[in-house]
Amino acid sequence: MLPDEVLQQIRDELLCLPSVGSSILEISHRSAAFATILAEARQLVREIAEVPDSHEILFLQGGSRLQFSVVPLNLAIPGKPAAYTITGTWSGMAADEARRLIGVNEIWSGANSHFSELPSAAELNTNEDWSYLYFASNETIHGVQFRPMPGAGRAPLVCDMSSDFLSRRIAVQDFALIFACAQKNAGIAGLTIVIVDRDRLCDVPAHTPGYLNLKSHLASDNLYNTPPTFAIYVLKLMLLWIRQRFGSLSEVEQQGLAKANLIYDAIDRHPNLYRGHASRRARSTANVTFYLPGEADSRQFLQGAKQRGMSDLRGHRTLGGMRASLYNAMPISAAQQLADYLDEFARSR
Ligand code: PMP
């Protein structure tokens, strides 16, 4: 979901950017107009996500999945394996990609609990001989989220924040690298935000394609190739909206918790009907995953939801059940509406 205000501004400016005279869809990525948009978007990420000067901000293509390969290529220290925490589909895929390139130690896996649990902070980051420690802050499909976020330990931290970036305050200085595709809280598909501690970048292997070398992007000030200009423009509008609507990421986080709690509380009120996927301490504020007893119940539930104007509640095809995604643009009234419907559906049976 994108905020109405952002969609309206895109519509209003689509034919002609104010004081530019042409559309964002037409201007050159080397034009002064786009240079301003790029610099503003970068500055807003720095300000809102509190990115320290030690860290660079890049806007790349290839989605978060390309970062699954970029990370090992740019951060692996020869002879030191990387540690991967497998908490769901996405961190599992990231480890599979890394394994093609470097030595990987799978230090924790939630497979036995069907990815409903997370490791405790004490189970992580215990070894300084790793190139880095990798985890996903929120597993979008399973709905498990590290809360609080693991802090700096012995090995540099790398985090896939695709589905909770810009929804919570982060100690960015604790991380060697953070990446997040934009299509959850930061706009639209086609753009991936990478925040990297410049001093942690290693020399990539000689055969590495230029695009996958983060130093190529830094050296060319994010213009190594044509960046996704429209998606960067939408990111800028999303950041301005976050600042205007919430003021800070702490406030986004508080409101996100309030939204998620409305739905988790409703699930917990009817334990004979609804079963949450994530264990309580791993529950995600971004993606609430739960099951009804059978396929017929699920179908009936989804049908009733649709009649009430609620769509896209079916869980990911690999997990089944239901998934309510509560990204920043989803208002609290929508979470309340779903909570009310969960009660109503339970009462009707
Ligand atoms: N990581 C996470 C946590 C995700 O949710 C997703 C996409 N849903 C990805 C990685 C992959 O992102 P992309 O499709 O942009 O490659």
Side-chain angles (χ1 to χ4, degrees), residues 253-322:
E253 186 168 0
Q254 286 317 308
Q255 296 200 24
L257 261 173
K259 279 191 287 190
N261 283 340
L262 283 172
I263 298 170
Y264 284 121
D265 288 349
I267 289 171
D268 292 343
R269 276 196 291 278
H270 311 285
N272 296 331
L273 181 60
Y274 307 119
R275 181 170 57 83
H277 176 77
S279 76
R280 270 170 198 263
R281 59 183 277 272
R283 283 175 162 180
S284 165
T285 56
N287 312 98
V288 178
T289 45
F290 61 98
Y291 304 95
L292 283 90
E295 190 44 40
D297 305 298
S298 297
R299 260 200 313 275
Q300 208 190 338
F301 181 85
L302 287 169
Q303 208 178 7
K306 198 168 171 201
Q307 283 161 1
R308 288 160 182 78
M310 291 177 280
S311 63
D312 296 289
L313 283 165
R314 188 179 276 287
H316 192 270
R317 63 190 186 295
T318 54
L319 195 67
M322 303 293 143

Side-chain angles (χ1 to χ4, degrees), residues 206-254:
H207 59 265
T208 305
Y211 194 87
L212 304 190
N213 182 353
L214 291 179
K215 285 183 184 165
S216 320
H217 295 280
L218 291 179
S220 48
D221 201 22
N222 214 124
L223 300 179
Y224 177 73
N225 74 330
T226 311
T229 48
F230 183 62
I232 293 171
Y233 159 78
V234 176
L235 168 69
K236 186 195 110 174
L237 299 187
M238 287 298 289
L239 290 160
L240 289 171
W241 175 79
I242 288 173
R243 193 169 66 179
Q244 195 254 332
R245 161 88 175 69
F246 298 94
S248 71
L249 291 187
S250 304
E251 182 58 26
V252 178
E253 186 168 0
Q254 286 317 308

Side-chain angles (χ1 to χ4, degrees), residues 62-66 68 90 138 140 160 162-163 181 183-184 192:
S64 281
R65 284 190 83 152
L66 193 63
F68 295 171
W90 296 110
N138 183 71
T140 321
D160 174 359
S162 293
S163 42
C181 50
Q183 64 266 24
K184 319 286 180 192
T192 303

